[in-house]
Structures are given as structure tokens and as C-alpha cells.
């Protein structure tokens, strides 16, 4: 019987439950879209790496100074003489040396093809016939001025076989003729450039060296051949199986995609968390409106458990429908994400069981859990209540709610503080749990907070809008629990958006302060991408009219006390002036075997000026460097500054990353002259103090916008919640609305009343959320003050805009409920029980 009751109730409340399902759909869509998207990208990467090294049995490479590190800490490349040694080992088939490095192609428009900064790699290699890729047209390169490029790069750069183009590497741009196009398939946005082996060595490595040497097998297994090869290698080289080589490449991508999946799922969980408030509120109102009906069921013999199961059955139905539609919407979202990936997203979608399972698990479980407490309240309706006309569900005292909400808020704040202080091992966990506790705690306290706040927010409306304004304020105050539950959903989304915007404003202000305090050079010439500044470019900079001095700097990684350590290298006196270093002890006379460190590093290691600091460089050799000076913390220089002579002694192919420029008289004309001198170098950028700030702001603004867009989903769900609450409230107040119409209130005034009530609820949620967001942002800034966020900045203008947006959301959310209320028949409304 109760099954029929459940089906009847679903049919009777279609519109209300459809609105509830929207919250489920949006939350599930985020989860499903994330899982489908990352599964699709993983499949594309697997296909890409499946083509690489398919015939490689063993690969010979240099041992790494830091195990598992892939960003420049590898030892010296493999000498070409090793190739002859490998040819004499039994079982080795066709050993071949590879040269890999950075090489970018300049298109017809004079710009580098592909993303030069923080994008997919721009791969340069020595071309070998019969290798991983095949030529689509043309022929292989045969000399120092010939090159082959992948077909997609040629298409984007509007290049063809026979064209002459510039190729950017670590050295000077080389003018080369395109002699062939490579069929590279989907490189996921990367570019591929191939040279003959001598040219590749000269441009990207060093003559007589390979990045690695790969070989096939004439019979022995990969592990057996690896052991044979390893015995013939020098101590600084190692042999790995082709299978391990491919797994390493895949594991790096898998780690990246795992992080990206987790990152997106966090926002999906936020949307689901917000949606749970909507579901809870909707079922609470549905149960409250059906109190007499439920009492009648109890009166004719339905047990408490049956009533509970009937309501839960409705929740399961909503969860199933919402999950199904959410899964379909998730596929659309995944497709949209792929289109935003450019070339990396052209492989189509991959569907596995994982997103399907999780979509239904998340959708149904969240809906049922959110509806559980309203269902239990429904079961507690006494049968005698069926005999009363004014029956209503009993309301618990707010005392327990206030106590529990206060406790959760305080515990959450404590966990956030613990996580931000770096205690507890994994800071994101206590911070995330703490934020969750704060949101739940504030949501529990919201009914108490809403009464005084709504009185203040509603006062202008009551004063200026007459009876509709006064009625709207009374309606919002009538049921503080409902008002709070509706506003809480909007509170969460805007709290997180506000936190992101406060951090963005704080970062911009902090960067501006750091540039003002620590940037003392007139100009910096920086590399965009993975290349370098060659000697010819450096000479052009030095001879530019108006330039007084130009000093190159390098970057590198080393081991200091067996820990990976990034360092800068260059003329210490020039760098100290350019970065406005505050020397606290010693000086900048580091000579050809010296080092300077910041105060934090010196204190942590117990180093004093004159101490010997053992540094193991990328070539595996260790050198004792003398500590020449200690300086105050500098975010521009970092914790270590090493003499250029020491860096150059241990670097096979030195790469200048930045040139510090001082001008005789800094001006727009001097900057323009520098840019004109470097017009043949599209990978170099001239920056002054203003452009450094602008670049930093652009990066911060882009990241803030990206996070805000992801969080907008939760705000949309919250808006749906406002619509749902108002629609149910209109139904609940049908008789009241009829009486208002009967005593003379017009349809226009009635609609205005509902719109004003919606605006008050939305603005209340926004004020609460922005207050929490500012508090979160201030806490994060305080915790990260020593990491560079030294200035707290609150974007009041942006928050004002969000407040207006919240009011607009309130207006839009009220359109349908207000229209429906205005269309009610007065006599029927009055006669409604």
C-alpha cells in the first residue's frame, strides 16, 4: 500500500520534486563530468605513450642526482662513445642515440606556435627514420639548415614544406627550411620539431652527447638484456627496461591527472553539499504541508516505519531521476571541458563504469540522507492530528541547535587554524574538515542570526515599499529555520567565492609591495618558455642605446645536505642591487666558489659567514662553497645565490634565463629600443617594474576567474533552492494569499511582496557568506604572511557587485513563484484547507 502512496505523492508534487531534482542534476553533473573528462584524457595519454618506445627493450641514461626528479637534476648526458660499447653487447639490437630538448617554431605571424609559457611542451629531437613517428610528406632533414615539424604545428603556423622559418632553441634563433611534415597523431597540444643528429646535438645538447640511448633485443628478455648492458656502463649511467621507461612517463601523467581530478571533484563536492541544503529544505516543507495527510495514514494503521519509508521512497525516486539526468549532463560538461583543452581535447569521450556508478551512488545517497530527518519527523506525526484543522509539525527548541552550531563553528575554526599553522601532517585535510564544520555550524546558527539581520535588511523595504515591503519582511521572519536553510545554500557558494577574491586581491597587493620593495633594476629581459638567452641576444642587449649594464643570471638545482635545493646564479653585486637585497652579514664578494643564503636558511642550518657549504651539482660532483654573505628574505631571489663560475663548472650547456639591465636614463624610449633590438627573439620579453606588476596581476586574475567560474555552479544550485522554497511557500500560504487578495491587495503588490521576500533571503545569504569569506581570506593571509602574502586586501568593490548580484538572483528566483501567486483564484484560495 505504501508503495502506491509514494507513487501518488510523486505524481501530486511533480513540479516541486522536479525543482529538487535540479539540485541533484547539477551536483551529479559536476561529478560525472569530472570523471568522464579525466578518464578520456587518461585514455588519450595512454594512446600517446603507447606509440612511444614500442620497440625499445632497454634504455641507457644518466643517473639522477635526486631519484624520481625530472626537472633538471639529471646528471651529464650520455657520451656518444657509449654507443660503440653497446653495439658489442650480445643481444643488443640497433642501438640508437636520442637528443631531446626545447625547440619552438615561429609561424608566419612572427609568433611562436603553441603556448610558450606554462603550456604543453615544445619538443625538439633528432629525427630518425623508422622511429616513433612517420613522415606525412616531404623527406627527412639532412643538414644544419633543414627541419621537419609535425603537421598540426605547420597548420597552426600556416607553414608548408619548402617554407623557411625560424626555430627557437636555447641558442640563437636558427633560420631553417621545412623539408618534411610529421604524422604525429594527437600530441595533446605539444609541438614536435626534428633535426638531423649533429644539428640536434649542436642546438639542444652538445656535440658528441645524447640524452639517452635506446635499443631493441635480438632475443633476451628486457630484464636480462638490461642486466647485460648495465655491467658495461660507467658508474654514472644506468640501464632501464623499455617497460619501466613507459611506465615512468605514464605515472607522471597519471599523477598530474589525479591531481586535476581531485581538484575538480572538490568543487563538485561543494556543489553537492550546497544541493543537500536544498533537498533537506524541500522535503522539510513537503512534510510540513502534508502533516494532516500523514496523520491520516497513521490513523488508518500505517506504522511509523512505513511513513518514513514512503518519504524515503520519494527521495530515492528523485535521486534516481536526478542521477540519470546528471550523468547525461556530465557527458556534456566533459565534452565542453575537452573543447577548452584545444588540441589536447580532440580524442573524443571515453565512457567507463566508474562515472556511472559514482553518479548514482552520489545522487541517491545525498538525496536520501538529506531527506532522512524530514522523513523521521513525518513518522512522528500522531494519528490524532488528523482531526485538527490547524495541525503543524512540532518545532524543537533552538537551544540544542545553538549549542551544537556554536561548538561546530569553534571546532571548525580551530581545525582551520591548526591546518594553516602546518600542524597535523596534511594541512588541506584539517582545513577542509574545518571549513565544512564552520559551514554546518553557521547554518545551524543561521535561524538565530537571521532574526536581527532580516529586521535590519527588511527595514528599508518596509519603509519605502509600503504594505508589500512590510509583509515581505514578516514572511521572511515568520519561519527563521526555513529562511536560514534557504540562505545557507547561497552562503556557502558566496563564502568560497569571497575567499578566493580576497586571496586574489591580497596576492595582487602583496606582489605590488614586493616589486616596489625588492625590484631595483631598470629592466629584466626574461625567457618565455623553456629556452634561453644566447650570447648574441645578450650582446644586443648590452649594445642597445641607453643601456648602462647588462648582467646574465642562471638558475639550477642542486643537493644541499642531501636535500633538493633551487638556486640562482650570477654577479652577486648586480643581483643584490637589482633585488634591493638587505645584507645582514658578510657581503657580495662570493668570488668563483662562493654562496649567499637568506637568513632563514642560515639559521636553519646553523651557518655563519665563512662556513663551508657542500653542494652537489647536477653533474653529480660535490663542491665546497664558502658562505660569503647572508641577506634578508627575498621572494625575487629565493634562498640561495651561487657564484656563476661554480654553476658553469658543473653545467654542460649553460642557459641564461634572465638578463638584469640598468639604463643610463630609464624611459619608454629605452624600453622600446630594447624591444626593437630583440625583435628577432619572440621568446624574450622586456619587463620593467610596471609590467612585472601587470603580468602578476594578469596571472592572479586568470586563476581567480577560473576558480570563481567553478564555484558559480554552487550559486546556481542555491538560486534553484530559492525558487523551490518560494514556490512551496506560495503553495503553503494559498489561503493567506487568497485572504490578502480579498481584502484589497492587488496582484502587482502580491508579486512585489514575494520578490522582496526573495531579495531579503538572497541578500541575507550573501551577507552571511561574504562575512565568512572575508574571515577565511584573512585567516589564510595571516597564515601565509611569511610566504609572500604580507598585505591583506579586501576587494570591497567586487563584494559590492556580488551583493547586487545576490539581489538580482533573488528577483529572478521569485519570477515564477510570484507569477503563480498572482494567478490564483481568490475564492478557491480562500476555501483551501
Amino acid at each position: 500500500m505504501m508503495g502506491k502512496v509514494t507513487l501518488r505523492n510523486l505524481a501530486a508534487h511533480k513540479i516541486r520534486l522536479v525543482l529538487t531534482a535540479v539540485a541533484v542534476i547539477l551536483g551529479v553533473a559536476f561529478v560525472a563530468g569530472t570523471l568522464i573528462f579525466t578518464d578520456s584524457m587518461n585514455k588519450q595519454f595512454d594512446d600517446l605513450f603507447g606509440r612511444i618506445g614500442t620497440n625499445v627493450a632497454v634504455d641507457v641514461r644518466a643517473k639522477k642526482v635526486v631519484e624520481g626528479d625530472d626537472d633538471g637534476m639529471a646528471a651529464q648526458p650520455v657520451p656518444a662513445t657509449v654507443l660503440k660499447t653497446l653495439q658489442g653487447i650480445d643481444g643488443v639490437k640497433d642501438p640508437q642515440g636520442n637528443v631531446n630538448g626545447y625547440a619552438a617554431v615561429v609561424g608566419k605571424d612572427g609568433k611562436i606556435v603553441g603556448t610558450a609559457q606554462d603550456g604543453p611542451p615544445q619538443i625538439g629531437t633528432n629525427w630518425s627514420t623508422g622511429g616513433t613517428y612517420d613522415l606525412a610528406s616531404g623527406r627527412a632533414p639532412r643538414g644544419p639548415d633543414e627541419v621537419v615539424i609535425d603537421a598540426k604545428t605547420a597548420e597552426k603556423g600556416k607553414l608548408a614544406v619548402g617554407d623557411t622559418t625560424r626555430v627557437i632553441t636555447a641558442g640563437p634563433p636558427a633560420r631553417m627550411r621545412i623539408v618534411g611534415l610529421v604524422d604525429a597523431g594527437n600530441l595533446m597540444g605539444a609541438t614536435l620539431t626534428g633535426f638531423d643528429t649533429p644539428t640536434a646535438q649542436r642546438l639542444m645538447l652538445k656535440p658528441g652527447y645524447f640524452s639517452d640511448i635506446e635499443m631493441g633485443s635480438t632475443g633476451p628478455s628486457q630484464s636480462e638484456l638490461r642486466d647485460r648492458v648495465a655491467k658495461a656502463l660507467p658508474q654514472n649511467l644506468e640501464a632501464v627496461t623499455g617497460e619501466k621507461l613507459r611506465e615512468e612517463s605514464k605515472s607522471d601523467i597519471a599523477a598530474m591527472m589525479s591531481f586535476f581530478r581531485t581538484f575538480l571533484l572538490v568543487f563538485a563536492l561543494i556543489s553537492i553539499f550546497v544541493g543537500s541544503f536544498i533537498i533537506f529544505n524541500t522535503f522539510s516543507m513537503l512534510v510540513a504541508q502534508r502533516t494532516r495527510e500523514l496523520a491520516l495514514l497513521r490513523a488508518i494503521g500505517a506504522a511509523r516505519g512505513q511513513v518514513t519509508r514512503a518519504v524515503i521512497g520519494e527521495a530515492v525516486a528523485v535521486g534516481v531521476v536526478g542521477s540519470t539526468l546528471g550523468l547525461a549532463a556530465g557527458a556534456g560538461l566533459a565534452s565542453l571541458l575537452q573543447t577548452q583543452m584545444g588540441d589536447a581535447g580532440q580524442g573524443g569521450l571515453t565512457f567507463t563504469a566508474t562515472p556511472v556508478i559514482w553518479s548514482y551512488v552520489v545522487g541517491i545517497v545525498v538525496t536520501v540522507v538529506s531527506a532522512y530527518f524530514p522523513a523521521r519527523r513525518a513518522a512522528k506525526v500522531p494519528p490524532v492530528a488528523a482531526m485538527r484543522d490547524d495541525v503543524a509539525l512540532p518545532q524543537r527548541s533552538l537551544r540544542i541547535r545553538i549549542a551544537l552550531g556554536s561548538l561546530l563553528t569553534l571546532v571548525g575554526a580551530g581545525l582551520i587554524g591548526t591546518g594553516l599553522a602546518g600542524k597535523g601532517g596534511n594541512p588541506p585535510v584539517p582545513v577542509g574538515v574545518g571549513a565544512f564544520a564552520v559551514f554546518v555550524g553557521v547554518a545551524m546558527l543561521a535561524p538565530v542570526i537571521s532574526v536581527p539581520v532580516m529586521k535590519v535588511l527588511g527595514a528599508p523595504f518596509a519603509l519605502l515599499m509600503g504594505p508589500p515591503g512590510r509583509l515581505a519582511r514578516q514572511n521572511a521572519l515568520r519561519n527563521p529555520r526555513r529562511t536560514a536553510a534557504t540562505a545557507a545554500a547561497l552562503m556557502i557558494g558566496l563564502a568560497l567565492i569571497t575567499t578566493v577574491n580576497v586571496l586574489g586581491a591580497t596576492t595582487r597587493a602583496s606582489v605590488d609591495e614586493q616589486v616596489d620593495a625588492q625590484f631595483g633594476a631598470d629592466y629584466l629581459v626574461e625567457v618565455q618558455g623553456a629556452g634561453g638567452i644566447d650570447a648574441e641576444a645578450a650582446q644586443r642587449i648590452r649594445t642597445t642605446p641607453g643601456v648602462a649594464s647588462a648582467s646574465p643570471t642562471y638558475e639550477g638545482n642542486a643537493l644541499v645536505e642531501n636535500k633538493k635545493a633551487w638556486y640562482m646564479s650570477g654577479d652577486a653585486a648586480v643581483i643584490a642591487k637589482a633585488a634591493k637585497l638587505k645584507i645582514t652579514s658578510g657581503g657580495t664578494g662570493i668570488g668563483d666558489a662562493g654562496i649567499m643564503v637568506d637568513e632563514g636558511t642560515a639559521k636553519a642550518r646553523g651557518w655563519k659567514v665563512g662556513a663551508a657549504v657542500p653542494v652537489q651539482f647536477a653533474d653529480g660532483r660535490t663542491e665546497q662553497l664558502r658562505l660569503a654573505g647572508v641577506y634578508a628574505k627575498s621572494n625575487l631571489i629565493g634562498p640561495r645565490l651561487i657564484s656563476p663560475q661554480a654553476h658553469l663548472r658543473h653545467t654542460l650547456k649553460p642557459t641564461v634565463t634572465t638578463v638584469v639591465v640598468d639604463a643610463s636614463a630609464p624611459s619608454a624610449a629605452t624600453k622600446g629600443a630594447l624591444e626593437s633590438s630583440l625583435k628577432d627573439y619572440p621568446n624574450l620579453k622586456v619587463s620593467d617594474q610596471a609590467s612585472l606588476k601587470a603580468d602578476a596581476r594578469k596571472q592572479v586574475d586568470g586563476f581567480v576567474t577560473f576558480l570563481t567560474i567553478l564555484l558559480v555552479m554552487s550559486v546556481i544550485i542555491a538560486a534553484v533552492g530559492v525558487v523551490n522554497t518560494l514556490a512551496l511557500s506560495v503553495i503553503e500560504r494559498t489561503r493567506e494569499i487568497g485572504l490578502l487578495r480579498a481584502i484589497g491587495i492587488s496582484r502587482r503588490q502580491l508579486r512585489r511582496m514575494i520578490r522582496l521576500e526573495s531579495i531579503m533571503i538572497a541578500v541575507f545569504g550573501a551577507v552571511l557568506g561574504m562575512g565568512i569569506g572575508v574571515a577565511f581570506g584573512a585567516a589564510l593571509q595571516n597564515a601565509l604572511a611569511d610566504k609572500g602574502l604580507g598585505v591583506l586586501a579586501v576587494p570591497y568593490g567586487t563584494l559590492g557587485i556580488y551583493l547586487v548580484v545576490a539581489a538580482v538572483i533573488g528577483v529572478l528566483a521569485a519570477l515564477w513563484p510570484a507569477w503563480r501567486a498572482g494567478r490564483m483564484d481568490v475564492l478557491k484560495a480562500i476555501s483551501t484547507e
Side-chain angles (χ1 to χ4, degrees):
M1 180 186 75
M2 297 309 293
K4 293 181 179 179
V5 172
T6 299
L7 293 175
R8 184 189 64 79
N9 287 331
L10 287 170
H13 307 113
K14 295 187 290 292
I15 297 177
R16 314 175 203 180
L17 294 175
V18 164
L19 286 173
T20 307
V22 170
V24 182
I25 292 168
L26 294 176
V28 170
F30 216 146
V31 173
T34 297
L35 295 175
I36 294 172
F37 171 71
T38 51
D39 283 345
S40 302
M41 296 303 291
N42 280 328
K43 175 66 165 54
Q44 291 182 49
F45 278 117
D46 286 345
D47 292 344
L48 175 62
F49 288 114
R51 296 181 59 185
I52 298 175
T54 51
N55 298 319
V56 177
V58 173
D59 188 77
V60 172
R61 63 189 185 187
K63 291 180 180 178
K64 297 172 183 176
V65 175
V66 176
E67 189 62 34
D69 185 84
D70 293 310
D71 61 356
M73 287 295 293
Q76 298 283 35
V78 181
T81 53
V82 175
L83 193 60
K84 295 181 179 179
T85 303
L86 296 173
Q87 291 170 343
I89 297 176
D90 185 33
V92 169
K93 178 183 178 181
D94 300 329
Q96 180 175 305
N98 296 320
V99 180
N100 299 313
Y102 168 82
V105 176
V106 178
K108 288 282 190 182
D109 59 359
K111 298 179 180 179
I112 294 177
V113 179
T115 306
Q117 187 76 15
D118 300 327
Q122 292 167 306
I123 304 167
T125 186
N126 60 323
W127 180 259
S128 58
T129 303
T132 303
Y133 305 109
D134 298 320
L135 284 173
S137 61
R139 59 173 177 81
R142 297 172 186 163
D145 60 350
E146 294 185 349
V147 67
V148 295
I149 62 175
D150 68 277
K152 287 188 177 180
T153 296
E155 181 182 350
K156 287 185 286 186
K158 298 182 180 180
L159 300 168
V161 173
D163 288 347
T164 298
T165 186
R166 284 178 292 161
V167 178
I168 308 295
T169 60
R175 297 199 67 83
M176 294 189 166
R177 188 164 60 91
I178 300 172
V179 296
L181 299 181
V182 180
D183 179 15
N186 184 10
L187 285 175
M188 310 292 287
T191 63
L192 180 68
T193 307
F195 315 89
D196 66 8
T197 296
T199 303
Q201 290 174 324
R202 174 175 58 83
L203 292 177
M204 298 182 295
L205 206 56
K206 191 175 182 178
Y209 287 90
F210 293 109
S211 301
D212 66 297
I213 299 175
E214 61 184 34
M215 66 209 73
S217 173
T218 59
S221 66
Q222 289 190 5
S223 56
E224 183 181 352
L225 184 60
R226 175 201 60 200
D227 294 340
R228 293 183 189 177
V229 170
K231 293 177 182 178
L233 295 178
Q235 187 176 0
N236 65 326
L237 301 181
E238 66 177 355
V240 296
T241 63
E243 186 63 32
K244 180 180 179 181
L245 191 68
R246 289 185 288 274
E247 286 302 318
E248 286 178 353
S249 299
K250 289 182 180 180
S251 66
D252 292 339
I253 295 299
M256 180 189 72
M257 293 305 299
S258 176
F259 170 80
F260 191 54
R261 171 180 286 195
T262 302
F263 178 78
L264 290 179
L265 284 177
V266 166
F267 292 91
L269 292 175
I270 291 170
S271 296
I272 291 169
F273 182 45
V274 171
S276 66
F277 280 85
I278 308 306
I279 299 165
F280 173 83
N281 208 24
T282 301
F283 276 93
S284 293
M285 295 182 73
L286 287 174
V287 168
Q289 292 173 13
R290 290 156 49 194
T291 302
R292 191 174 185 187
E293 173 192 325
L294 296 171
L296 284 170
L297 288 173
R298 296 278 286 114
I300 63 175
R304 285 189 174 188
Q306 288 178 304
V307 174
T308 301
R309 286 193 293 275
V311 178
I312 292 295
E314 295 177 35
V316 170
V318 171
V320 170
V321 172
S323 299
T324 303
L325 297 177
L327 180 60
L333 179 61
S335 180
L336 179 63
L337 286 172
Q338 278 199 330
T339 61
Q340 300 304 308
M341 296 292 290
D343 292 333
Q346 296 183 355
L349 297 180
T350 299
F351 293 93
T352 65
T354 302
V356 177
I357 294 171
W358 278 109
S359 293
Y360 282 100
V361 168
V362 169
I364 295 172
V365 169
V366 169
T367 308
V368 170
V369 169
S370 300
Y372 175 72
F373 290 103
R376 285 198 60 187
R377 290 178 64 201
K380 293 179 180 180
V381 176
V384 71
M387 303 176 185
R388 298 176 54 190
D389 292 330
D390 58 344
V391 64
L393 285 175
Q395 295 287 345
R396 287 186 177 182
S397 169
L398 287 175
R399 292 179 182 176
I400 297 176
R401 189 182 186 112
I402 293 171
L404 186 56
S406 301
L407 179 63
L408 282 172
T409 303
L410 291 173
V411 170
L415 286 171
I416 292 173
T418 300
L420 293 178
K423 300 175 182 177
N426 189 9
V429 174
V431 170
V433 174
F436 177 81
V438 167
F439 283 135
V440 174
V442 173
M444 296 184 74
L445 293 172
V448 180
I449 301 171
S450 69
V451 175
V453 174
M454 293 301 284
K455 285 182 179 179
V456 174
L457 290 176
F461 296 108
L463 182 64
L464 300 175
M465 297 295 180
R470 290 192 293 273
L471 288 170
R473 183 169 70 161
Q474 291 170 8
N475 288 335
L477 289 169
R478 179 187 301 178
N479 193 330
R481 296 172 190 261
R482 181 187 303 168
T483 298
T486 306
L490 194 58
M491 170 197 76
I492 295 168
L494 281 176
L496 294 171
I497 289 175
T498 300
T499 302
V500 169
N501 279 268
V502 170
L503 279 179
T506 296
T507 302
R508 288 191 292 269
S510 299
V511 169
D512 285 352
E513 182 192 56
Q514 289 172 22
V515 172
D516 288 336
Q518 299 181 16
F519 184 74
D522 293 322
Y523 306 103
L524 287 181
V525 179
E526 302 172 287
V527 176
Q528 304 296 296
I533 302 174
D534 67 281
E536 181 184 339
Q539 180 63 22
R540 290 191 184 189
I541 295 169
R542 281 191 291 268
T543 57
T544 298
V547 170
S549 66
S551 181
T553 69
Y554 309 87
E555 297 177 5
N557 289 299
L559 285 183
V560 179
E561 294 188 342
N562 294 319
K563 292 185 179 179
K564 180 183 172 182
W566 178 89
Y567 65 83
M568 178 175 280
S569 178
D571 187 314
V574 172
I575 292 175
K577 179 185 175 183
K580 296 183 180 179
L581 287 184
K582 180 182 177 182
I583 309 298
T584 57
S585 63
T588 59
I590 60 178
D592 63 354
I595 183 174
M596 296 177 68
V597 300
D598 65 12
E599 289 178 313
T601 303
K603 183 178 180 180
R605 301 287 189 270
W607 293 338
K608 303 292 183 183
V609 172
V613 179
V615 178
Q616 186 177 7
F617 287 90
D619 61 357
R621 293 183 291 168
T622 300
E623 185 171 342
Q624 299 287 334
L625 301 182
R626 185 184 68 85
L627 182 59
V630 177
Y631 53 88
K633 180 179 178 180
S634 170
N635 291 308
L636 292 181
I637 300 303
R640 300 165 201 87
L641 177 59
I642 289 177
S643 67
Q645 294 88 343
H647 172 78
L648 296 174
R649 281 196 293 271
H650 302 280
T651 305
L652 180 69
K653 193 175 181 66
T655 301
V656 175
T657 55
T658 304
V659 174
V660 179
V661 180
D662 277 329
S664 305
S667 64
T670 304
K671 184 180 179 183
L674 276 169
E675 291 172 339
S676 178
S677 297
L678 299 173
K679 63 182 179 180
D680 294 330
Y681 294 81
N683 62 324
L684 301 186
K685 181 177 181 180
V686 181
S687 299
D688 56 12
Q689 191 177 77
S691 56
L692 284 176
K693 290 180 181 180
D695 290 343
R697 290 193 200 104
K698 184 177 180 181
Q699 291 184 7
V700 172
D701 290 345
F703 190 60
V704 167
T705 301
F706 174 66
L707 294 181
T708 302
I709 290 172
L710 292 177
L711 289 168
V712 163
M713 181 74 79
S714 63
V715 175
I716 294 173
I717 295 174
V720 171
V722 178
V723 176
N724 216 3
T725 299
L726 289 174
L728 291 170
S729 179
V730 166
I731 295 170
E732 186 179 75
R733 304 195 313 246
T734 298
R735 188 174 185 181
E736 174 188 319
I737 290 171
L739 289 170
L740 287 172
R741 293 279 288 116
I743 63 175
I745 192 171
S746 67
R747 289 184 176 181
R748 183 177 182 181
Q749 289 176 313
L750 182 63
R751 290 167 181 159
R752 183 180 299 167
M753 176 191 77
I754 293 172
R755 284 197 297 269
L756 293 177
E757 180 183 352
S758 178
I759 291 172
M760 290 179 199
I761 293 172
V763 171
F764 170 58
V767 169
L768 204 58
M770 288 191 291
I772 294 173
V774 170
F776 279 0
L780 288 167
Q781 181 274 327
N782 184 65
L784 299 173
D786 61 341
K787 304 293 185 183
L789 296 183
V791 180
L792 174 63
V794 178
Y796 295 105
T798 302
L799 298 188
I801 293 172
Y802 289 155
L803 198 61
V804 173
V805 169
V808 172
I809 288 173
V811 172
L812 296 176
L815 290 178
W816 179 62
W819 174 82
R820 185 172 182 179
R823 285 176 56 85
M824 282 186 183
D825 183 273
V826 176
L827 293 178
K828 287 182 179 180
I830 292 174
S831 63
T832 301
E833 295 184 359

